[in-house]
């Protein structure tokens, strides 16, 4: 049966009413972090999720260790989520080393050279999910979580968006909810996006990524390695307690064999592919496999609709931007909705949402296209492609402005010359309320 969080009202209440300012579909790390940001902006939020509240409260480890930028950490800090992470679960990345098959060329980035304590921070995904859930619960009545409901229909009728959900398990009557603004945060394969008629470009890389935690003998010094090998890609991410997160990208046809290896054979193979640089390795926990499909929605905003997290941009993980982009988008959208609420403007109007569309596209599109290009180049094992990647690595290492630009992407720090669109929007004089339905009365 569907459920809702202990302190929250029954999911079945007031079907068809407009009880909230914003309805979010998907209580993943993006949907829940947005709920926190909107609650802090004085809005009433409902989050609809297919998983049970027990699973949300205790998310199972999924093998993903997420590299977060400084900017993403700052967003999480402002939401009070970073402070909830156990210190032992946050691992700083002190340096990054990119190598190309058997070539002696490599590219190296150092936190010290970039004048910062770390290039980024690694945190297990299930921890991010958990703190986002705890943060949403801590917002009390401002966030209503309806768990155990699966969205089936989503549409916009004039002054409201409507969602119809059915119990995720078993039978039961459907639930209809309406709100001035609907946010889809239900993964890169978002049903809500689809039902709203918003298309997406997707690229199936025909590859699978296998992630696993490994313990090892020698110190890793906080260095992350990205090794573009012949036939596969191996990333070694430095975690705490002499452990690394291994990320192996393979042709989908080979992934089953790697997944079927006994745990020690898998660990030995990773150690061997890494040249035994960290000594012997042992598995810690389970392996997890993910098909690699990148997705970019045609629009991030439409009247009464916004897309956030992977529902907006589902990245290939090689450049570690997925959740970072989610958090950047949340910050921008929440600021705009905060300003709209203060000015008494319609939350779901395009005038409110258009700057989010523009800013999120400006930030994400170059990296999305660039990442796909890099993946294409670095997974092509033909000799011309290998020569080009050598040249790219050499050029990146010897051109300080290019290296600086990559470092800024890694850390999420904005260059001094780039204007902050949110500050520009905040500086605009308040617009009169738009015709149509105003913000929900409190
Ligand atoms: C191997 C791997 C490594 C990664 N590494 C990094 C990294 O280093 N750095 C980084 O920034 N990002 C990384 N990412 C990406 C990051 O994990 C995602 O961007 C992030 O988890 C997306 O969060 P989300 O909330 O948008 O979506 P999800 O986590 O997919 O959550 C969506 C939620 O919506 C719910 N839902 C789905 N459909 C429905 C429905 N019909 N009705 C109700 N609820 C629904 C789901 O149950 C789920 O709870 C990585 C991803 C992978 C696979």
């Amino acid at each position: 049966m569907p459920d809702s969080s202990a302190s929250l009202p029954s999911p079945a209440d007031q079907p068809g009413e407009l009880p909230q300012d914003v309805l979010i579909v998907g209580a993943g790390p993006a949907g829940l972090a947005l709920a926190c940001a909107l609650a802090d902006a004085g809005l009433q939020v409902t989050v609809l999720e297919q998983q049970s509240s027990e699973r949300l409260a205790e998310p199972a480890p999924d093998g993903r260790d997420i590299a977060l930028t400084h900017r993403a950490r700052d967003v999480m800090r402002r939401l009070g989520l970073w402070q909830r992470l156990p210190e032992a679960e946050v691992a700083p990345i002190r340096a990054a080393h990119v190598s190309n098959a058997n070539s002696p060329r490599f590219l190296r980035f150092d936190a010290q050279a970039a004048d910062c304590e770390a290039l980024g921070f690694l945190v297990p995904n299930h921890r991010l999910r958990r703190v986002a859930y705890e943060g949403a619960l801590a917002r009390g009545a401002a966030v209503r979580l309806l768990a155990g409901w699966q969205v089936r229909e989503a549409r916009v009728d004039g002054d409201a968006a409507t969602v119809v959900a059915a119990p995720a398990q078993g039978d039961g009557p459907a639930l209809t909810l309406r709100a001035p603004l609907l946010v889809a945060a239900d993964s890169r394969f978002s049903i809500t996006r689809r039902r709203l008629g918003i298309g997406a470009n997707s690229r199936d890389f025909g590859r699978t990524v296998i992630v696993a935690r490994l313990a090892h003998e020698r110190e890793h010094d906080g260095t992350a390695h990205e090794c573009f090998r012949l036939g596969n890609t191996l990333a070694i991410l430095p975690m705490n307690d002499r452990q690394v997160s291994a990320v192996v990208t393979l042709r989908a046809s080979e992934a089953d064999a790697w997944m079927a290896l006994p745990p020690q054979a898998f660990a030995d193979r990773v150690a061997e592919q890494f040249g035994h640089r960290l000594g012997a390795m042992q598995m810690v926990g389970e392996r997890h496999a993910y098909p690699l499909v990148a997705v970019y929605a045609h629009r991030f905003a439409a009247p009464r609709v916004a897309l956030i997290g992977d529902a907006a941009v589902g990245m290939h993980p090689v450049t570690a931007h997925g959740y970072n982009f989610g958090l950047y988008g949340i910050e921008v959208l929440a600021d705009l909705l905060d300003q709209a609420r203060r000015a008494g403007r319609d939350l779901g109007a395009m005038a409110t949402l258009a700057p989010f569309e523009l800013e999120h596209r400006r930030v994400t599109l170059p990296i999305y296209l660039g990442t796909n290009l890099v993946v294409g180049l670095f997974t092509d094992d033909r000799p011309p492609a290998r020569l080009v990647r050598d040249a790219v690595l050499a050029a990146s290492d010897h051109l300080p402005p290019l290296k600086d630009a990559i470092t800024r992407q890694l850390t999420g720090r904005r260059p001094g010359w780039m204007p902050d669109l949110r500050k520009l929007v905040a500086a605009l004089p308040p617009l009169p309320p738009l015709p149509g339905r105003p913000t929900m009365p409190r």
Side-chain angles (χ1 to χ4, degrees):
M1 276 301 288
D3 57 45
S4 59
S5 301
S7 59
L8 305 172
S10 147
D13 61 348
Q14 303 169 334
E17 293 290 307
L18 270 170
Q20 303 285 305
D21 294 322
V22 183
L23 172 58
I24 300 173
V25 178
L32 288 172
L34 177 66
C36 294
L38 296 183
D40 294 350
L43 293 160
Q44 292 286 324
V45 188
T46 295
V47 187
L48 201 75
E49 164 63 41
Q50 63 189 4
Q51 295 182 66
S52 67
S53 45
E54 288 77 24
R55 290 202 64 160
L56 293 174
E58 285 292 340
D62 57 16
R64 296 185 213 182
D65 288 300
I66 304 294
L68 295 169
T69 62
H70 289 249
R71 179 177 167 192
R73 178 188 61 173
D74 292 347
V75 177
M76 285 187 67
R77 268 195 183 142
R78 283 194 284 279
L79 297 177
L81 303 180
W82 190 261
Q83 297 82 330
R84 292 178 178 274
L85 289 169
E87 223 170 278
E89 298 277 13
V90 179
I93 306 174
R94 307 263 180 230
H97 185 107
V98 185
S99 55
N100 174 27
N102 303 323
S103 159
R105 291 202 194 284
F106 63 86
L107 181 57
R108 191 175 166 90
F109 304 93
D110 276 292
Q112 249 179 348
D115 205 17
C116 51
E117 76 205 82
L119 291 173
F121 308 90
L122 286 157
V123 183
N125 194 44
H126 70 282
R127 285 285 173 195
L128 294 173
R129 292 189 79 115
R130 183 174 170 156
V131 297
Y133 177 76
E134 289 170 359
L137 279 196
R139 265 63 181 191
V143 177
R144 185 172 73 152
L145 182 64
L146 304 181
W149 291 97
Q150 194 168 52
V151 165
R152 298 287 165 83
E153 287 303 327
R155 60 179 183 272
V156 172
D157 330 286
D159 63 357
T162 301
V163 157
V164 180
Q169 311 250 302
D171 295 326
L175 172 69
T176 302
L177 289 169
R178 283 156 51 81
L181 176 64
L182 166 64
V183 179
D186 51 344
S187 86
R188 63 187 67 199
F189 306 111
S190 169
I191 292 290
T192 310
R193 183 182 68 211
R194 191 148 229 293
R195 292 284 187 261
L196 289 165
I198 299 177
N201 290 336
S202 71
R203 175 154 172 204
D204 187 338
F205 294 94
R207 309 232 158 198
T208 297
V209 64
I210 300 178
V211 283
R213 192 65 85 86
L214 298 163
H216 50 85
E217 278 179 319
R218 297 191 202 123
E219 291 298 336
H220 54 46
D221 299 328
T223 301
H225 293 260
E226 186 75 55
C227 318
F228 293 100
R229 299 171 42 79
L230 296 180
N232 70 35
T233 304
L234 174 66
I236 294 287
L237 308 176
M239 307 305 295
N240 293 331
D241 298 330
R242 224 178 253 199
Q243 290 185 7
V244 291
S245 182
V247 185
V248 188
T249 308
L250 306 148
R251 284 190 192 86
S253 55
E254 295 160 21
D256 289 347
W258 277 68
M259 286 298 283
L261 286 173
Q264 193 53 51
F266 177 87
D268 291 344
R269 189 175 285 188
V270 171
E272 188 230 309
Q273 297 219 335
F274 194 52
H276 301 286
R277 275 178 271 183
L278 295 175
M281 292 180 150
Q282 281 95 39
M283 290 267 305
V284 180
E286 302 288 311
R287 271 160 285 181
H288 299 261
Y290 297 90
L292 283 179
V293 181
V295 176
Y296 202 88
H298 293 167
R299 311 183 64 173
F300 301 146
R304 314 231 157 267
V305 173
L307 268 49
I308 204 86
D310 278 15
V313 183
M315 294 288 294
H316 187 297
V318 70
T319 51
H321 274 97
Y323 191 44
N324 289 297
F325 281 167
L327 288 166
Y328 302 169
I330 285 163
E331 192 184 28
V332 173
L333 183 60
D335 261 17
L336 292 166
L337 294 177
D338 185 21
Q339 289 168 41
R341 183 189 69 79
R342 287 171 198 273
R345 295 203 308 265
D346 184 352
L347 297 177
M350 269 319 279
T352 302
L353 303 173
F356 163 67
E357 166 88 41
L358 278 178
E359 172 66 359
H360 205 45
R361 193 165 295 276
R362 181 188 70 75
V363 169
T364 58
L365 189 59
I367 308 294
Y368 178 81
L369 295 174
T371 298
N372 293 355
L373 201 71
V374 166
V375 171
L377 178 64
F378 280 85
T379 50
D380 183 343
D381 290 333
R382 288 171 299 178
R386 282 159 55 190
L387 282 178
V388 175
R389 2 203 244 244
D390 251 11
V392 168
L393 289 186
S396 310
D397 207 31
H398 290 105
L399 286 176
L402 183 57
K403 207 167 164 180
D404 262 19
I406 299 175
T407 309
R408 270 199 307 273
Q409 277 310 322
L410 290 173
T411 56
R413 293 188 300 185
R414 196 165 38 88
W417 52 265
M418 190 178 285
D420 184 339
L421 190 81
R422 286 166 301 129
K423 293 215 174 98
L424 290 180
V425 171
L428 292 174
L431 295 170
L434 294 167
R437 199 170 201 294
T439 306
M440 293 303 295
R442 315 216 61 83

